[in-house]
Amino acid sequence: MTVIQDAPSNSVGDNSAAPRPDLRSLVDQAAGLKSAAREGMGPRSTEQQHARGKLTAPERLELLFDAGTFQEVEPLRRHRSTGFGLEHRRPSGDGVITGWGQVHGRTVFAYAHDFRVFGGSLGEAHAQKIHKVMDLALSSGAPLVGLSDGAGARIQEGVTALAGYGGIFRRNVRASGVIPQISVILGPCAGGATYSPALTDFVFMVRDISQMYITGPDVVQAVTNERVTHEQLGGAEVHATVSGAAGFVYDDEAECLEEVRHLLSLLPANNRELPPEAPTDDPADRRCESLLSLVPHHANQSYDMRAVIREIVDDEDFFEVHAQWATNIICALARLDGHTVGIVANQPASQAGVLDIHASEKAARFVQTCDAFSIPLVTLVDVPGFLPGTDQEHRGIIRHGAKLLYAYCDATVPRVQVILRKAYGGAYIVMDSRSIGADLSFAWPTNEIAVMGAEGAANIVFRREIAAAPDPAAAREQRIKEYQQELMHPYYAAERGLVDDVIDPAETRAVLASSLAMLRTKDAPVPARKHGNPPT
């Protein structure tokens, strides 16, 4: 029989052997550790961060969240790695701040790399903190914001750091289309770290402090002998205008984070909710008389589609995505009668509003994002067609144009098309025509819907007659007029049910508001399938 003896009075099990610290001192100790974590690696590390022209992670979170609402998660977590001196440097927080708070009174989760601690590099504990807050965001059905300012994987931790990134990427994909995910690049973001922003819905950058690239300038020079700076390789302007990786670019962090807050106010918390409403004093049936003069009657004259959008939306306010990339198409979030809408519009002021590879990709991604988060789509059409040429064909305009076609056909949210002027060829079909599922299609009296422009059509259809005529120029003019009168008059599509009504441009806002109100209860069943296979 085993005899259990009492423990000696001086053993660890005897709680009366030594006086325990009072609760207040324990609370103060915990507070001190948390305060130290917020200081990074000390005052000097904060000074160095400010000297780089950057805010600290706690300062950024203060700007992002409503005052006093941020609740940190695992502020005392430390890494458990050894080797390369890491065992002697184990700061609380491990270089990332995670938690949740309120943005305009709604719950939002966030993580912020702290460049003051190990350069914001990602190790095992660092990654696990991010994994946890991502899981909380997904299970709670709330948006996630990542504030990136880190040196990539923590080299001293080897493959465990790389596995940490894998866990982030997997969670990005699981959350895609379920909760809004926003990436804010506020420092370096290199190597594998760049794929997390690429997997999220929106990417913000700040001029002069943000960089994203797979391989840095040193590697580029070693491999290609090309000398390039960090800014030239992956700065904010490059990704806003050339690569299209950044949807928004700002001059300073405060403005950037304020615009992140604004974007969140336009989005639902998750894919099971509708976007929040915002009361407005702008009447839904307000007439837009200026639209009669804003858009030139002649199809070849240029104008700025942004002016049209301003007239239609609430309080002339809209939030444009990728404003500096693929400028021949506009993608924007706005409110109409207090409800969030997504607007896709050709831009005649840039390349005559033609569709090309980049415009198709930009609009396709935007349509998919709106559809994922129950944001109705308004498509404003004034398109001469797809951009012709060997460059576009060889780079895959067929594949890329099909992305936009697929996105519209797959979308189940309310969809309303308005044709302002020309809508030619396949581009007319792709820009959410009735034939691919638009719920309603309206046209202004200036609309021209046809396979192609009258001049090109006449040259093809009447080629032999024109060539054989005594006066080919006069014959061509006559045939052009005939084609316009027969197939391009503003009521041709309406007579065949492909346009629901030809409307007064001044009534565009009222017609859209009424149509979207009717479609708010739209129920569009989807086929039983695991997922589609969109073009790449």
Side-chain angles (χ1 to χ4, degrees):
M1 182 175 68
T2 302
V3 178
I4 302 176
Q5 299 179 339
D6 292 337
S9 61
N10 62 347
S11 70
V12 174
D14 186 357
N15 293 329
S16 63
R20 298 186 65 188
D22 63 80
L23 181 58
R24 172 48 56 193
S25 64
L26 291 173
V27 170
D28 291 343
Q29 182 183 24
L33 291 172
K34 294 177 186 179
S35 178
R38 285 191 290 271
E39 290 295 322
M41 300 296 279
R44 179 165 173 75
S45 66
T46 298
E47 293 172 5
Q48 291 173 335
Q49 180 77 347
H50 288 163
R52 298 184 188 100
K54 301 194 295 183
L55 300 175
T56 64
E59 290 168 341
R60 290 163 175 165
L61 292 168
E62 286 180 9
L63 290 173
L64 176 63
F65 289 102
D66 297 345
T69 65
F70 182 69
Q71 175 65 53
E72 190 171 354
V73 177
E74 296 189 353
L76 302 180
R77 185 153 188 168
R78 301 192 297 171
H79 74 76
R80 55 187 178 181
S81 301
T82 58
F84 306 102
L86 281 180
E87 64 272 20
H88 304 302
R89 303 175 66 202
R90 300 179 64 223
S92 295
D94 202 50
V96 65
I97 302 174
T98 58
W100 77 90
Q102 303 289 308
V103 176
H104 297 301
R106 301 162 68 219
T107 299
V108 172
F109 287 81
Y111 64 87
H113 298 295
D114 193 340
F115 195 81
R116 300 171 301 169
V117 180
F118 299 135
S121 62
L122 183 138
E124 180 187 35
H126 185 119
Q128 288 174 348
K129 288 182 65 175
I130 296 175
H131 296 169
K132 180 168 185 174
V133 81
M134 294 179 79
D135 290 340
L136 285 170
L138 185 58
S139 62
S140 301
L144 174 71
V145 179
L147 307 181
S148 297
D149 184 8
R154 194 172 298 167
I155 298 172
Q156 299 94 322
E157 295 196 30
V159 70
T160 57
L162 298 178
Y165 274 124
I168 292 172
F169 304 156
R170 179 166 58 89
R171 287 168 173 83
N172 283 138
V173 173
R174 282 176 54 198
S176 180
V178 181
I179 58 172
Q181 299 180 83
I182 299 173
S183 295
V184 188
I185 313 303
L186 299 170
C189 183
T194 59
Y195 286 113
S196 180
L199 291 168
T200 60
D201 301 304
F202 301 98
V203 178
F204 288 72
M205 296 184 76
V206 176
R207 293 179 179 90
D208 300 325
I209 68 169
S210 304
Q211 298 99 35
M212 279 197 300
Y213 38 67
I214 297 296
T215 54
D218 293 340
V219 175
V220 169
Q221 183 177 353
V223 174
T224 69
N225 204 32
E226 179 185 5
R227 291 181 178 272
V228 63
T229 66
H230 292 276
E231 281 296 315
Q232 291 169 337
L233 183 62
E237 287 296 332
V238 168
H239 288 305
T241 61
V242 180
S243 76
F248 309 93
V249 175
Y250 298 98
D251 290 327
D252 59 69
E253 294 188 50
E255 182 187 11
C256 177
L257 292 169
E258 182 58 37
E259 292 304 305
V260 173
R261 288 172 54 86
H262 178 48
L263 174 59
L264 287 166
S265 74
L266 293 165
L267 301 174
N270 55 66
N271 65 340
R272 300 182 301 277
E273 297 182 6
L274 293 175
E277 296 180 39
T280 178
D281 295 327
D282 196 349
D285 60 353
R286 168 174 55 79
R287 285 182 61 83
C288 307
E289 298 291 348
S290 65
L291 292 181
L292 297 169
S293 57
L294 276 175
V295 180
H297 180 74
H298 196 284
N300 292 330
Q301 286 185 269
S302 177
Y303 65 95
D304 189 349
M305 183 67 82
R306 291 186 182 91
V308 175
I309 296 172
R310 250 181 237 108
E311 277 296 309
I312 293 172
V313 301
D314 290 355
D315 306 310
E316 300 187 354
D317 183 42
F318 62 93
F319 195 55
E320 190 171 352
V321 182
H322 289 293
Q324 299 179 63
W325 181 63
T327 54
N328 41 327
I329 201 160
I330 295 172
C331 298
L333 294 170
R335 283 195 173 93
L336 194 56
D337 194 22
H339 296 270
T340 301
V341 296
I343 297 173
V344 179
N346 305 112
Q347 172 57 298
S350 176
Q351 296 180 270
V354 71
L355 283 180
D356 61 4
I357 288 172
H358 287 163
S360 299
E361 289 182 326
K362 170 179 168 178
R365 172 72 166 170
F366 182 75
V367 168
Q368 290 170 328
T369 301
C370 289
D371 186 51
F373 295 114
S374 303
I375 299 173
L377 287 161
V378 172
T379 304
L380 305 179
V381 183
D382 190 346
V383 61
F386 281 94
L387 181 63
T390 55
D391 176 67
Q392 288 286 303
E393 296 291 350
H394 293 176
R395 288 168 54 204
I397 185 62
I398 296 172
R399 290 186 297 108
H400 296 289
K403 292 178 183 178
L404 180 53
L405 179 61
Y406 188 100
Y408 269 126
C409 289
D410 201 41
T412 60
V413 293
R415 293 154 49 190
V416 182
Q417 179 197 51
V418 181
I419 302 167
L420 280 61
R421 289 195 311 187
K422 56 190 178 295
Y424 296 158
Y428 153 69
I429 301 172
V430 169
M431 289 296 293
D432 205 21
S433 64
R434 279 289 304 278
S435 60
I436 65 169
D439 297 294
L440 292 167
S441 176
F442 300 101
W444 288 5
T446 48
N447 82 83
E448 293 181 357
I449 307 173
V451 175
M452 62 177 64
E455 291 83 357
N459 287 336
I460 293 173
V461 175
F462 306 110
R463 179 178 63 252
R464 292 180 181 175
E465 294 179 34
I466 292 172
D471 186 348
R476 182 181 294 107
E477 284 299 317
Q478 178 62 31
R479 293 305 187 182
I480 289 172
K481 289 179 181 178
E482 288 180 14
Y483 187 85
Q484 289 174 327
Q485 292 169 356
E486 289 293 324
L487 298 177
M488 293 182 66
H489 65 78
Y491 306 103
Y492 185 85
E495 290 170 358
R496 286 153 181 80
L498 296 175
V499 166
D500 291 290
D501 196 7
V502 176
I503 63 172
D504 178 352
E507 295 179 357
T508 303
R509 172 179 166 83
V511 169
L512 286 173
S514 173
S515 300
L516 293 172
M518 178 274 292
L519 290 167
R520 208 156 286 141
T521 55
K522 176 183 175 181
D523 182 22
V526 295
R529 61 182 178 185
K530 187 174 182 180
H531 57 74
N533 187 21
T536 59

